[in-house]
Amino acid sequence: MDISISSRDFHCLQLACVALGLVAGSIIIGVSVSKAAAAVGGIFLGAAGLGLLIFAYPFLKTRLNLDHLLPAIGSLRVHPNPGADHTVGRSNTNGNKEGARSSLSTVSRTLEKLKLGGRSAEES
């Protein structure tokens, strides 16, 4: 005896079973006094969660397809600073000294501003 069922009816049946499992598990846990009854409610909730996962699997498979995600992730690149000029054969010692001097002067200016701001706050 073969009974034909449409895909839509099958999905509705799946959702109804998931909803019934969630409701039954929640009620069992809510009214249970003993730990054993709560465990049975947990089994109902776990079965409903598994049913929901089985129901959502085709959707998740198409939306989270790794064959489409991995090339997109692989195309992400870290680009160097546009101002940095790294030519072959050039000594980096001079560039490092200049960079250190400019950052040292920036730190010095920031400290001076902080000192001036602290003094004006103390004097008030």
Side-chain angles (χ1 to χ4, degrees), residues 95-115:
N96 287 342
K97 287 179 184 177
E98 290 173 5
R101 285 183 190 140
S102 66
S103 62
L104 183 61
S105 64
T106 304
V107 170
S108 299
R109 278 186 263 134
T110 305
L111 287 174
E112 288 297 322
K113 288 179 185 177
L114 289 174
K115 286 180 184 176

Side-chain angles (χ1 to χ4, degrees), residues 8-33:
R8 182 177 179 204
D9 291 339
F10 180 71
H11 290 304
C12 288
L13 183 64
Q14 276 183 323
L15 276 179
C17 289
V18 166
L20 182 65
L22 288 173
V23 169
S26 299
I27 290 173
I28 290 171
I29 289 175
V31 299
S32 66
V33 177

Side-chain angles (χ1 to χ4, degrees), residues 2-120:
D2 287 338
I3 299 174
S4 63
I5 185 169
S6 69
S7 174
R8 182 177 179 204
D9 291 339
F10 180 71
H11 290 304
C12 288
L13 183 64
Q14 276 183 323
L15 276 179
C17 289
V18 166
L20 182 65
L22 288 173
V23 169
S26 299
I27 290 173
I28 290 171
I29 289 175
V31 299
S32 66
V33 177
S34 68
K35 292 180 182 177
V40 171
I43 291 171
F44 273 88
L45 289 178
L50 181 63
L52 188 62
L53 185 64
I54 291 170
F55 176 75
Y57 176 74
F59 174 77
L60 294 174
K61 184 179 177 186
T62 57
R63 295 293 177 207
L64 301 175
N65 192 354
L66 290 179
D67 294 335
H68 296 287
L69 286 179
L70 291 178
I73 293 172
S75 66
L76 298 174
R77 299 281 186 247
V78 177
H79 300 288
N81 291 336
D85 183 24
H86 299 291
T87 57
V88 178
R90 186 181 135 201
S91 173
N92 288 334
T93 57
N94 190 19
N96 287 342
K97 287 179 184 177
E98 290 173 5
R101 285 183 190 140
S102 66
S103 62
L104 183 61
S105 64
T106 304
V107 170
S108 299
R109 278 186 263 134
T110 305
L111 287 174
E112 288 297 322
K113 288 179 185 177
L114 289 174
K115 286 180 184 176
L116 291 176
R119 286 182 187 156
S120 63

